[in-house]
Amino acid sequence: MGDRVERNRLVQGDCIELMQALPERSVDLVFADPPYNLQLQQSLHRPDNSKVDAVTDGWDQFDSFAAYDAFTRAWLKAARRTLKDDGALWVIGSYHNIFRVGAILQDMGFWILNDIVWRKTNPMPNFRGRRFTNAHETLIWAAKHEESRYTFNYQAMKALNEELQMRSDWTLPICTGNERLKDEEGRKAHATQKPEALLYRVVLATSKPGDLILDPFSGSGTTAAVAKRLGRDYLGFERESDYLVHAEKRLKQTQRLSEPALLALDEKREAPRVPFGTLVERGFLEAGTQLVSPDGRHRAKVRADGRLVTRDFTGSIHQAGAHVQKAAACNGWTYWCYEVEGKRLPIDLLRQRIRAEMHGS
């Protein structure tokens, strides 16, 4: 494939070989829905003796746990190679495989950020009555390294959840109705097609517009379709030609969101650090200036080195604030105030002025 990644396409072939052919550190996010190794030994039937449309495809069958683990290590190694240093990976699975995948992830140096429980509102019933109804799947979200500066659009998730923090348990229906792709005989085009709502949340939360999202087990193309909808670029690998036909057709019918205002993410920029001493150096507060607590009970003077001096203590703005309140900790930026024309204003306002200069605004 050369040094440049051709974006927005689906490719037929073995995902491990195709990932090995990609340039190193070329992908922003990987979403993987690998075989679950369900180990189904016989057909499943409902009480009326009708056959359950279960996953019996050859791609989900492995000779042993050791063979499945070897396969998992191989594709994760190839995926890790393609990820940028600040990239991240999602993998979805069930109790059959997710614990094995998670252990291998950690062994390879990935840093697990969250495990998400996808609770299905309409799971398949348990027909035999010998176990609890299997009503959820697990997603693991992991950064490439512990030090990776991964993307997390916290505010977008909060907005999606009516201004409440998004939790790690997601209640969503399985793929049904018009969203479910069908073949010419009306049968499921793919046995494990995931709902777009699930991928929508993943893509919106952990990528930015224009990012490249790789799905090594592209299947019916859900990841690619959602990436396109949200103004991201996609690359999907799939071994089965029948799945690719359905996925390509689906993508042709998917509109790409490209209007910048609608793609904007109102994430707070990481503010540059401004030491309190900078305010003194710059003359925003002169040495000897008296600071006061919001209620006027406590006072301190600014020392030339940026420390505060109270009646019986000398220390940083945070230490001095904690000392006078007899508290374990204190945010000195919001506690200490300077006085202007009889008004008490938090010194954080001065810090914000310096940050505005740094941003050129």
Side-chain angles (χ1 to χ4, degrees):
M1 292 188 180
D3 295 331
R4 185 173 178 275
V5 180
E6 293 184 53
R7 298 177 172 227
N8 300 317
R9 67 193 188 109
L10 302 178
V11 184
Q12 183 177 3
D14 178 84
C15 71
I16 298 172
E17 295 177 0
L18 291 170
M19 284 191 285
Q20 289 172 339
L22 288 175
E24 292 187 37
R25 300 181 180 89
S26 57
V27 171
D28 298 288
L29 186 71
V30 172
F31 181 87
D33 183 5
Y36 286 10
N37 191 25
L38 297 178
Q39 308 140 53
L40 295 178
Q41 302 299 320
Q42 56 186 336
S43 298
L44 298 178
H45 291 83
R46 299 179 178 88
D48 63 3
N49 207 37
S50 60
K51 187 176 179 181
V52 176
D53 188 11
V55 181
T56 57
D57 304 86
W59 50 258
D60 192 61
Q61 297 172 2
F62 294 82
D63 292 335
S64 63
F65 285 133
Y68 185 79
D69 291 350
F71 166 74
T72 299
R73 279 190 290 270
W75 77 257
L76 278 174
K77 179 180 178 182
R80 183 179 176 84
R81 176 186 166 277
T82 70
L83 272 176
K84 296 177 181 178
D85 288 337
D86 291 333
L89 173 142
W90 287 82
V91 59
I92 185 170
S94 68
Y95 68 87
H96 302 88
N97 71 322
I98 199 64
F99 304 109
R100 308 187 78 84
V101 173
I104 294 170
L105 273 171
Q106 291 181 312
D107 288 344
M108 294 181 67
F110 285 93
W111 186 253
I112 294 179
L113 301 168
N114 274 117
D115 68 318
I116 303 294
V117 174
W118 167 32
R119 188 164 70 86
K120 304 172 183 179
T121 59
N122 52 345
M124 181 183 294
N126 186 294
F127 297 109
R128 292 182 177 177
R130 297 179 180 176
R131 303 183 185 183
F132 296 107
T133 298
N134 186 23
H136 77 278
E137 293 184 31
T138 301
L139 298 90
I140 296 175
W141 174 37
K144 185 175 182 179
H145 303 286
E146 182 178 357
E147 301 81 16
S148 296
R149 296 171 64 87
Y150 56 89
T151 296
F152 179 51
N153 300 318
Y154 169 81
Q155 296 296 335
M157 289 297 96
K158 196 173 179 182
L160 204 65
N161 199 38
E162 295 188 339
E163 300 307 323
L164 296 174
Q165 287 188 342
M166 185 71 76
R167 294 163 35 129
S168 62
D169 52 338
W170 298 354
T171 304
L172 297 166
I174 64 174
C175 186
T176 57
N178 293 332
E179 185 183 343
R180 171 67 76 171
L181 301 185
K182 303 287 183 62
D183 62 18
E184 294 178 355
E185 283 75 39
R187 297 171 301 194
K188 295 177 183 178
H190 194 293
T192 64
Q193 181 182 341
K194 297 301 185 289
E196 288 197 9
L198 182 69
L199 270 298
Y200 191 100
R201 195 170 292 186
V202 167
V203 171
L204 187 65
T206 57
S207 69
K208 299 184 289 292
D211 277 357
L212 178 59
I213 301 174
L214 169 65
D215 187 338
F217 307 96
S218 188
S220 58
T222 304
T223 304
V226 172
K228 185 176 180 180
R229 282 177 57 195
L230 289 173
R232 277 71 168 169
D233 291 337
Y234 63 86
L235 184 60
F237 299 149
E238 176 53 51
R239 193 176 66 181
E240 308 294 328
S241 59
D242 289 346
Y243 297 158
L244 278 175
V245 171
H246 291 284
E248 292 282 11
K249 182 179 178 180
R250 179 184 191 179
L251 284 167
K252 288 179 181 178
Q253 298 171 345
T254 302
Q255 296 296 315
R256 182 182 179 89
L257 184 62
S258 57
E259 188 174 337
L262 300 180
L263 286 169
L265 296 169
D266 298 326
E267 296 301 312
K268 296 177 182 177
R269 290 181 295 185
E270 186 175 339
R273 182 175 179 275
V274 178
F276 177 72
T278 302
L279 274 62
V280 183
E281 291 175 333
R282 296 282 306 277
F284 286 85
L285 290 173
E286 299 284 349
T289 299
Q290 184 170 254
L291 302 182
V292 62
S293 62
D295 58 9
R297 293 177 54 206
H298 303 292
R299 296 180 180 273
K301 286 189 176 181
V302 178
R303 221 167 74 163
D305 63 359
R307 289 186 173 89
L308 298 190
V309 180
T310 69
R311 179 173 52 84
D312 59 352
F313 182 83
T314 299
S316 71
I317 58 172
H318 312 297
Q319 293 168 337
H323 174 78
V324 298
Q325 297 178 87
K326 295 182 173 57
C330 171
N331 182 348
W333 288 108
T334 56
Y335 181 73
W336 292 111
C337 301
Y338 65 103
E339 296 182 315
V340 178
E341 298 179 354
K343 294 182 179 180
R344 293 176 186 145
L345 304 175
I347 59 175
D348 195 40
L349 293 177
L350 301 176
R351 180 171 66 164
Q352 291 176 24
R353 285 171 56 183
I354 292 178
R355 282 176 171 166
E357 291 179 4
M358 291 179 174
H359 285 301
S361 57

